[in-house]
Amino acid sequence: MGCCLRAAPSSSFLLTCVKGPANSKSSSYSRRWYNPVRRKSSLLIPDTDRQWVTADNNRTHLLSEERFTVVSYNILGDRNAFKHWDLYRNVPSIYLKWDYRKRVICEELIGLNPDIICLQEVDKYFDVLNIMEKAGYLGSYKRRTGDYADGCAMFWKADKFQLIEGESIEFKQYGLRDNVAQVSVFEMRKAKSRRILVGNIHVLYNPRRGDVKLGQIRFLLSRASILSKKWGNTPVVLAGDYNSTPQSAIYTFFSSSELNIMLHDRGDLSGQKNCRPTQALGIRREQGSLFVWMDSSWTNEEIKSATGGTDSRVIRNPLKLRSSYAMVKGSAETRSSNGEPLATSYHSKFLGTVDYLWFSDGIVPTKVMDTLPINVLKKIGGLPCQKFGSDHLPLVSEFAFIQGSKDENETSNFLIS
């Protein structure tokens, strides 16, 4: 996008000098700024341009003309960036400052030109809102409960979508920690029959509390399903940072109809333990035992958190969901064997995927913006960086409605073809 260069004072002054009168003084002055050392160092910066990947399907004639683009982005709360400074030892301090990151993040979002934006870890909501309003967006915000400054925010294009119903979820009310979520139903202004339900969540981080993670996700799915039915089985998109990897039991629950919690290690339902940069990058072999102890013993409290009651051991997903990135084939340099990005988040203690855009029947992804190859992330050394204002990468997907889709098998048939 080149946004950082445009905002740099020295670059602006340099351009003024180059365009000035052609005399010996100005020419000499310009050459001193364009020194070969600086130009050589710029060549060392890895290519961080992200590419759109289009879905390969020969039944595009079944798709409606109405398209919409959704972004999911954990923007790294200002307070968290400095509270957890040890995660960003490889990041120059300028790239951690909110004033810098705010500009980079908002310029990136505006440049992507999405219709709906779902942000997590937002603790400077009004800073972001002031910028996004000028770009034609409306917004809503839900702060976490307890002693937390951040929360979830949602923005949408005022000229394309109208909010017809919205609700915020405080998981604290159900004994599921201080995390929050948003659920909103939108109607297209130029196609009143087209509606979409969008959910936005930042799931609990704690890798050992998979029971709480499942409980939060279970409740979000329930509310989304209820609201979807209320508005005539409106298609659903669920964005967010789920703090769970594609190899985890929680991911399996999302992509299947049910999960028997007793078949899984209660302390590693999220798969986060296996995503340290040293493991992912193959820098060195991790020291440890050859044997992995699986603790499948669950307390009644943990069972209740995960399933909603002490009598049940199986939780069911009321929505038939798929991941947009897994459905649009990408490069082997950026994707894992199941189609998900190799990494959506990178700092000194984590390199892996925890962010997703899930969708239900009635819509299909037509394209996604691919993430960065692992070798590029390795050269960067960690996020945030000059071009990206967070330790996460934004996920971007365009969706299209399936024409006349009322049968829940329509999406399956379309994707299989």
Side-chain angles (χ1 to χ4, degrees):
M1 291 170 54
C3 55
C4 299
L5 293 177
R6 288 199 300 270
S10 59
S11 298
S12 176
F13 180 71
L14 172 60
L15 290 175
T16 302
C17 294
V18 171
K19 291 181 180 180
N23 54 58
S24 58
K25 290 186 178 180
S26 63
S27 298
S28 174
Y29 192 69
S30 298
R31 283 197 294 271
R32 287 201 300 272
W33 280 97
Y34 275 111
N35 66 81
V37 176
R38 184 170 182 176
R39 295 184 67 181
K40 183 177 180 180
S41 64
S42 67
L43 297 177
L44 301 178
I45 300 175
D47 182 9
T48 55
D49 289 339
R50 297 173 60 186
Q51 305 299 323
W52 282 104
V53 182
T54 304
D56 182 15
N57 197 290
N58 59 6
R59 299 180 68 188
T60 54
H61 63 283
L62 296 179
L63 299 179
S64 70
E65 294 182 358
E66 293 83 25
R67 310 286 173 97
F68 62 95
T69 306
V70 181
V71 165
S72 180
Y73 197 5
N74 180 324
I75 65 170
L76 177 60
D78 181 42
R79 178 188 288 188
N80 288 339
F82 290 95
K83 179 179 179 182
H84 304 291
W85 60 269
D86 57 310
L87 302 180
Y88 312 108
R89 292 174 178 173
N90 297 330
V91 178
S93 60
I94 182 62
Y95 300 149
L96 285 175
K97 293 181 179 180
W98 173 243
D99 284 344
Y100 181 89
R101 296 197 302 111
K102 173 185 65 176
R103 177 175 56 78
V104 172
I105 289 168
C106 290
E107 286 184 356
E108 182 176 18
L109 289 174
I110 293 171
L112 290 170
N113 194 34
D115 300 305
I116 299 173
I117 301 170
C118 297
L119 303 181
Q120 305 88 42
E121 213 168 300
V122 182
D123 59 3
K124 301 284 188 180
Y125 171 67
F126 290 104
D127 284 3
V128 179
L129 178 65
N130 290 337
I131 296 174
M132 299 309 293
E133 279 184 332
K134 295 174 183 177
Y137 290 86
L138 296 176
S140 64
Y141 179 66
K142 179 58 185 176
R143 180 175 170 171
R144 280 207 280 172
T145 54
D147 187 27
Y148 295 94
D150 65 287
C152 293
M154 198 178 294
F155 298 92
W156 59 95
K157 281 186 177 178
D159 62 349
K160 186 167 182 177
F161 283 102
Q162 178 181 359
L163 177 66
I164 56 177
E165 183 168 357
E167 68 175 53
S168 298
I169 301 172
E170 293 183 355
F171 294 111
K172 185 75 170 181
Q173 297 180 9
Y174 312 98
L176 296 170
R177 301 296 181 92
D178 289 303
N179 300 75
V180 295
Q182 298 171 294
V183 182
S184 301
V185 181
F186 297 100
E187 182 177 76
M188 282 190 162
R189 292 188 179 276
K190 296 181 180 180
K192 297 292 186 181
S193 62
R194 297 297 187 189
R195 294 178 182 141
I196 184 71
L197 184 150
V198 180
N200 182 26
I201 187 173
H202 189 184
V203 172
L204 177 73
Y205 167 77
N206 191 335
R208 295 198 60 80
R209 293 310 303 266
D211 57 315
V212 176
K213 293 175 189 275
L214 277 175
Q216 293 176 351
I217 293 169
R218 170 180 53 80
F219 198 87
L220 172 65
L221 293 174
S222 175
R223 292 305 305 159
S225 176
I226 291 171
L227 277 180
S228 172
K229 291 177 180 177
K230 175 182 176 180
W231 290 97
N233 292 320
T234 295
V236 174
V237 174
L238 297 181
D241 176 352
Y242 290 87
N243 274 313
S244 305
T245 71
Q247 295 75 35
S248 68
I250 291 177
Y251 184 93
T252 300
F253 171 58
F254 253 111
S255 57
S256 64
S257 58
E258 63 181 32
L259 182 74
N260 186 335
I261 63 172
M262 306 309 291
L263 300 179
H264 300 277
D265 182 354
R266 66 180 177 84
D268 193 25
L269 287 170
S270 66
Q272 293 164 281
K273 295 179 181 179
N274 299 319
C275 291
R276 296 188 70 85
T278 49
Q279 294 169 300
L281 296 174
I283 296 174
R284 63 178 176 83
R285 180 173 295 180
E286 293 290 315
Q287 300 296 319
S289 171
L290 295 176
F291 300 97
V292 178
W293 175 261
M294 189 180 91
D295 187 356
S296 57
S297 60
W298 288 68
T299 66
N300 285 337
E301 179 185 356
E302 291 166 340
I303 293 173
K304 185 177 180 180
S305 294
T307 67
T310 57
D311 297 330
S312 176
R313 303 295 185 270
V314 177
I315 52 175
R316 291 178 172 80
N317 186 347
L319 296 171
K320 191 174 183 181
L321 297 172
R322 301 169 184 83
S323 167
S324 64
Y325 274 73
M327 292 295 104
V328 180
K329 186 177 180 180
S331 165
E333 295 180 340
T334 61
R335 304 295 186 88
S336 62
S337 58
N338 67 353
E340 293 291 355
L342 288 169
T344 64
S345 179
Y346 182 27
H347 54 64
S348 65
K349 295 185 179 179
F350 185 87
L351 175 61
T353 291
V354 290
D355 307 277
Y356 306 95
L357 281 167
W358 298 95
F359 68 97
S360 71
D361 292 304
I363 56 175
V364 292
T366 55
K367 62 180 181 179
V368 300
M369 179 163 284
D370 220 351
T371 49
L372 295 177
I374 291 295
N375 67 310
V376 172
L377 290 172
K378 183 178 179 180
K379 291 177 182 177
I380 293 174
L383 298 175
C385 64
Q386 182 182 21
K387 186 172 180 179
F388 300 106
S390 173
D391 57 352
H392 289 246
L393 296 172
L395 298 187
V396 194
S397 180
E398 179 189 79
F399 295 93
F401 292 93
I402 299 178
Q403 296 199 65
S405 174
K406 296 195 184 220
D407 183 353
E408 66 177 15
N409 293 319
E410 281 288 333
T411 301
S412 297
N413 294 336
F414 184 91
L415 291 170
I416 290 173
S417 71

